[in-house]
Amino acid sequence: QVQLVESGGGLVQAGGSLRLSCTASGLPSSINTRAWFRQAPGQEREFVAGVTWNGGTTDYADSVKGRFTISRDNAKNTVHLQMNSLKPEDTAVYYCAAKLTGAIISGPQAYAYWGQGTQVTVSS
């Protein structure tokens, strides 16, 4: 059974930082692309950042470039999202996702495995 478990969400003031983590278990292959998405109330789920299986390629939504950094530790099956200079518009539930092959895709339908989500709230 595949499980993706997120941690690290919380409440932070604008300009602050948070670090999200996502640990995977049961994935059928160690060669997998991982990504973070977010969903604010009343909005569609949107791509935030992605990283290929060896960490060699990363991609970011324009809204977070220069502020967020995605990284992975394959020895621990964990992906991190370091979020700096947070803004109130970053408030959302953040979801970790995984797909077994291929490039980083921004569409959520490309990802077969999902975590339960962690709430990030940025106050102004």
Side-chain angles (χ1 to χ4, degrees):
Q1 182 180 357
V2 176
Q3 281 193 313
L4 301 178
V5 180
E6 302 102 335
S7 61
L11 173 64
V12 64
Q13 289 187 333
S17 299
L18 283 175
R19 188 188 193 213
L20 305 183
S21 297
C22 172
T23 299
S25 61
L27 283 171
S29 173
S30 60
I31 301 176
N32 54 80
T33 296
R34 306 279 288 276
W36 289 94
F37 288 77
R38 66 187 182 186
Q39 189 167 18
Q43 297 188 17
E44 294 186 350
R45 192 167 297 189
E46 65 172 359
F47 174 80
V48 175
V51 59
T52 51
W53 72 275
N54 63 353
T57 302
T58 58
D59 192 20
Y60 298 91
D62 288 342
S63 59
V64 307
K65 280 181 182 176
R67 300 187 298 123
F68 290 11
T69 302
I70 190 170
S71 61
R72 65 187 295 164
D73 181 349
N74 286 341
K76 298 180 179 180
N77 292 324
T78 298
V79 174
H80 302 288
L81 184 68
Q82 178 66 43
M83 306 187 294
N84 298 330
S85 302
L86 283 161
K87 305 175 182 180
E89 51 264 44
D90 293 318
T91 295
V93 176
Y94 283 70
Y95 295 91
C96 175
K99 58 195 292 285
L100 295 183
T101 59
I104 300 165
I105 304 295
S106 61
Q109 64 274 15
Y111 294 80
Y113 307 103
W114 291 87
Q116 293 299 307
T118 185
Q119 177 70 47
V120 171
T121 303
V122 184
S123 63
S124 57

